[in-house]
Amino acid sequence: QVQLVESGGGLVQAGESLRLSCAASGSIFSINVMAWYRQTPGKQRELVATINSGGRTNYADSVKGRFTISRDNAKNTVYLQMTSLKPDDTAVYYCNVLVRFTTYWGQGTQVTVSS
């Protein structure tokens, strides 16, 4: 069993920055992929960024150049550094990890960006 605890969400003004953290704990042998998703009420969940075990990253077009995903393997933690935030970035952000053949979800953290 793997548990994910997210932190770092909050209310900021457009143009400001936030860093989200997601720490994994439990029965972890290896984490293949770590990712961040976001969801706004009435819309489907959107994949924001991924990072694999080798450090390769991928980003949604809407956040390229503004968001950076990183991981600390020693701490089993994934981060999402968000800069130049826009009101459209407002959403609940969820971390997700792939451990062997099972995916796990964080509880979600609210990010609200005011104009």
Side-chain angles (χ1 to χ4, degrees), residues 1-3 24-31 76 99-100 102 104:
Q1 187 76 9
V2 175
Q3 296 181 350
S25 63
S27 183
I28 302 174
F29 295 93
S30 64
I31 301 178
N76 289 322
V99 181
R100 290 190 171 182
T102 305
Y104 299 88

Side-chain angles (χ1 to χ4, degrees), residues 6-12 18 20 36 39-41 82 87 89-94 107-113:
E6 300 181 31
S7 63
L11 173 63
V12 298
L18 282 174
L20 306 182
W36 288 96
Q39 187 166 28
T40 300
M82 305 182 292
D89 295 319
T90 296
V92 177
Y93 284 71
Y94 299 89
Q107 81 280 8
T109 184
Q110 177 71 48
V111 172
T112 302
V113 184

